[in-house]
Amino acid sequence: MKTDCVTQIKEWVLVSIIVPLLVLFLLCLDVGFFMAEVMAQNLSRGTPKEVICGEELGPGGYYKLANDLLCSCDKSDPNGKPGKPALTIVGPVTVDLNGKNIACEPCDAYQCGYGTSFSIAGIHVKGERATVRNGTIIRCNVGLVAGEVDDLYEEGHHKITNVRVLESQEVQYDVGVDDNGEVICNNFKGDGIVFESTHNFAGRNELLGNQNDGIDLKAGFNLIKNNSSIGNGGRGYNLDGDHNWSIWNQTLKNINEGIEIKNGVYIRVINNLSIANGIDGIKVGKGAKFSSIKFNKAIANGERGILVKESATENSINFNQAIANEQEGIRVDEGATDNSIKFNKAIFNGEKDLRDKNDDCDNNTWRWNTYGTKKPDCIQ
């Protein structure tokens, strides 16, 4: 009886020690395999990939570029549209440009459709949830396009960060034939970044010396933040779709407006800096509605600091600074009504600091602004 008891105790001790040790061993083995897999993935992520012009990356995976690209004009199909993007990126995928340059080589500018190589884009981002970061795109017709052209309701959820886009070039393309059989050409503008889909983010990018706009938001529900748009031939930022946000962006010495809201609703333009642009610092375009323009600085622009165009209604222009602009600091055009203009500071502007071109300000509300000059007297 005593022997049986001792045996049972020994078995219990063995089980109580060995089983936990065995479980621990198996867990360590699992963790080991997992860590080996993670290390292998990290090693693969650290291995740069050689790419060629016209290549497609994704969907799926992580890519780091190993080389620069200089992509020449593609005229392989003279009856079709010229060229492909230098790179096509299909999400979900992460592409680290790894500080490399994606450049397009100019083609025959006088042949319809062949203004520069790859007339769509330096990089075309498709699918959903692609991340593109850390590189430079030079002299393509459009630096980067996210989404499919003319499908402005497609959800992209793409993220574009730390990309420099330089000197995008305008190109002519074939849009049909006239009654005399002559080819009709149109211009494909040289924008830096274009969002043709919704729910995308662009942050900490630089748009420098492009022939048209720095960033063009054709679709809605996009956010641009902490970008710099300098010396472009069009606008710094064009907010075309609804529900777009522009926050903490800088725009300097662009030929046209620093920031333009075209016809969208529920646009937010907050804490931007717009300096020395050729026309207006911030333009609220015809038909813009329910939008908020606040905490911005518009300084030393060629015409107005902030302009609210006719038919723009029910917008809020509050807590902005408009200083030393060539014409008015803040101007509301005739036909723009039911707007709220409050708590702004407008000083040292060339004509009037505050100007409403509606009779007796119509239904616009001007309150608690700081200014040196105004017209008419209904402005406060």
Side-chain angles (χ1 to χ4, degrees), residues 22-234:
L22 184 60
V23 169
L24 184 61
F25 172 75
L26 292 173
L27 282 172
C28 287
L29 198 62
D30 252 2
V31 169
F33 281 129
F34 172 74
M35 291 302 295
E37 186 177 348
V38 168
M39 287 174 68
Q41 287 178 355
N42 287 337
L43 283 173
S44 68
R45 287 190 171 200
T47 304
K49 172 182 170 53
E50 293 278 346
V51 293
I52 60 173
C53 291
E55 188 163 351
E56 183 173 295
L57 303 177
Y62 177 102
Y63 298 90
K64 180 186 286 186
L65 266 61
N67 58 295
D68 296 325
L69 285 180
L70 176 58
C71 299
S72 59
C73 183
D74 179 1
K75 298 184 182 179
S76 56
D77 181 5
N79 298 314
K81 291 185 178 180
K84 294 188 293 185
L87 283 179
T88 298
I89 295 172
V90 184
V93 67
T94 295
V95 177
D96 183 352
L97 300 176
N98 196 26
K100 304 302 181 185
N101 296 326
I102 309 296
C104 299
E105 192 174 69
C107 297
D108 180 3
Y110 299 102
Q111 183 173 357
C112 185
Y114 297 118
T116 67
S117 61
F118 299 100
S119 63
I120 299 174
I123 296 177
H124 188 188
V125 183
K126 302 164 66 174
E128 289 189 25
R129 302 186 188 281
T131 295
V132 182
R133 62 174 182 250
N134 188 29
T136 302
I137 305 169
I138 307 171
R139 289 188 304 278
C140 300
N141 299 126
V142 175
L144 183 147
V145 173
E148 300 289 351
V149 176
D150 298 327
D151 187 4
L152 301 181
Y153 298 100
E154 173 195 16
E155 292 191 13
H157 300 279
H158 303 303
K159 186 177 179 181
I160 315 300
T161 59
N162 294 106
V163 174
R164 301 177 79 229
V165 185
L166 314 178
E167 300 176 12
S168 296
Q169 302 292 314
E170 186 178 274
V171 65
Q172 290 187 323
Y173 67 98
D174 181 352
V175 295
V177 179
D178 65 17
D179 294 337
N180 298 319
E182 297 291 330
V183 173
I184 303 171
C185 289
N186 203 344
N187 291 328
F188 192 79
K189 298 293 188 179
D191 296 323
I193 294 175
V194 179
F195 283 170
E196 297 271 2
S197 59
T198 67
H199 298 88
N200 301 297
F201 171 76
R204 301 185 305 278
N205 302 291
E206 294 182 5
L207 304 311
L208 307 173
N210 299 288
Q211 197 164 353
N212 196 44
D213 299 334
I215 294 180
D216 190 355
L217 304 184
K218 292 186 179 297
F221 296 94
N222 293 296
L223 168 62
I224 56 175
K225 184 178 179 182
N226 282 323
N227 302 282
S228 296
S229 191
I230 301 171
N232 299 290

